[in-house]
């Protein structure tokens, strides 16, 4: 996973819980990288999981809530760092349909070491888009948080619902985005 994800995560921790907390969760348990992340480096995603576990233990905030909050924060950062992905798109459904075949493809060109999920979008109705997430990494909550951030950014009357099912988990998830029909 790219270092920018780690540096953004630690910035979020600093802003929400203070600078000491960021230092503490790095020092809680030895990390393979030593915990010195640079934006251009590449690190094992399990280190991010470890940092989130440490943060959850110290703050008593459940792990899924922390990952979702980070997703939402990361999205707002992406709108600044990757502003050019937002110039031609004015609504969430178009944006989500561009994600897998364009945005993450461009991200992969920029960072060939990036590990990206499989995202598939299909309309259930004109006002309803299903988004399926699949990955070797357990970041369905991150996907949920990113989409929550995206809903806020596009400021449309859209709600997100995560599907439940025996085959759905942190590696494989389905979400339904529903736009309120305004007359
Ligand atoms: C402009 C918007 C976006 C940009 C620039 C972007 C870029 C990235 C980058 C740089 C990574 C890290 C890959 C790595 O370091 O190995 C990533 C991972 C990821 N992205 Fe996006 N992303 C965007 C929007 C979204 C949205 C809206 C979703 C929601 C479904 C999403 C889902 C994910 C997930 C879940 C991961 C974690 C890796 C995994 O689960 O396998 N991204 N993205």
């Amino acid at each position: 996973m790219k270092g920018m994800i780690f540096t953004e995560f630690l910035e979020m921790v600093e802003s929400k819980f203070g600078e000491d907390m960021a230092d503490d969760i790095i020092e809680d348990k030895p990390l393979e990288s030593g915990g010195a992340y640079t934006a251009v480096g590449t690190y094992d995603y399990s280190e991010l999981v470890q940092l989130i576990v440490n943060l959850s233990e110290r703050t008593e905030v459940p792990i899924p809530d922390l990952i979702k909050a980070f997703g939402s924060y990361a999205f707002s950062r992406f709108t600044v760092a990757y502003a050019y992905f937002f110039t031609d798109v004015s609504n969430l459904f178009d944006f989500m349909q561009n994600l897998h075949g364009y945005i993450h493809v461009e991200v992969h060109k920029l960072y060939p070491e990036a590990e990206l999920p499989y995202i598939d979008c299909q309309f259930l109705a004109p006002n309803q888009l299903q988004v399926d997430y699949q990955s070797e990494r357990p970041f369905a909550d991150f996907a949920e948080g990113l989409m929550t951030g995206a809903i806020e950014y596009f400021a449309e009357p859209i709600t997100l619902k995560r599907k439940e099912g025996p085959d759905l988990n942190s590696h494989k998830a389905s979400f339904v985005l529903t736009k309120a029909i305004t007359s």
Side-chain angles (χ1 to χ4, degrees):
M1 182 161 255
K2 293 308 296 172
M4 64 159 302
I5 302 290
F6 287 81
T7 54
E8 291 297 349
F9 175 72
L10 291 169
E11 264 168 44
M12 182 196 76
V13 172
E14 278 183 20
S15 70
K16 290 199 172 157
F17 301 102
E19 221 170 287
D20 288 348
M21 181 65 85
D23 293 340
D24 288 344
I25 61 169
I26 287 173
E27 285 159 14
D28 275 338
K29 284 191 192 96
L31 295 157
E32 206 180 288
S33 68
Y37 303 104
T38 67
V40 291
T42 305
Y43 309 90
D44 197 315
Y45 75 85
S46 64
E47 289 201 15
L48 182 64
V49 174
Q50 184 63 58
L51 292 170
I52 293 166
V53 169
N54 296 349
L55 183 63
S56 173
E57 278 170 7
R58 284 181 174 272
T59 59
E60 294 182 4
V61 179
I63 292 169
D65 293 0
L66 291 172
I67 303 180
K68 285 178 210 169
F70 175 48
S72 192
Y73 177 88
F75 191 85
S76 70
R77 303 288 297 157
F78 286 165
T79 62
V80 179
Y82 301 93
Y84 48 90
F85 288 134
F86 294 88
T87 48
D88 287 338
V89 54
S90 61
N91 68 78
L92 180 66
F93 287 177
D94 285 352
F95 176 81
M96 286 309 299
Q97 286 178 284
N98 265 340
L99 178 60
H100 193 67
Y102 172 56
I103 297 177
H104 276 169
V105 171
E106 293 300 313
V107 168
H108 200 255
K109 284 186 201 161
L110 274 176
Y111 314 110
E113 329 76 33
E115 298 174 307
L116 295 155
Y118 174 76
I119 306 280
D120 181 55
C121 293
Q122 50 188 334
F123 278 98
L124 303 178
N127 69 324
Q128 216 167 35
L129 187 71
Q130 175 165 326
V131 180
D132 295 328
Y133 164 87
Q134 212 168 326
S135 175
E136 284 160 35
R137 292 156 295 285
F139 287 132
D141 288 328
F142 188 51
E144 184 172 336
L146 282 160
M147 282 188 283
T148 304
I151 290 170
E152 253 170 59
Y153 173 81
F154 287 104
E156 295 167 282
I158 291 180
T159 51
L160 178 153
K161 200 171 176 328
R162 183 151 164 189
K163 286 193 167 183
E164 282 172 28
D167 61 331
L168 299 176
N169 50 51
S170 58
H171 294 269
K172 187 174 188 287
S174 282
F175 304 90
V176 178
L177 297 166
T178 304
K179 194 184 291 189
I181 299 170
T182 46
S183 49

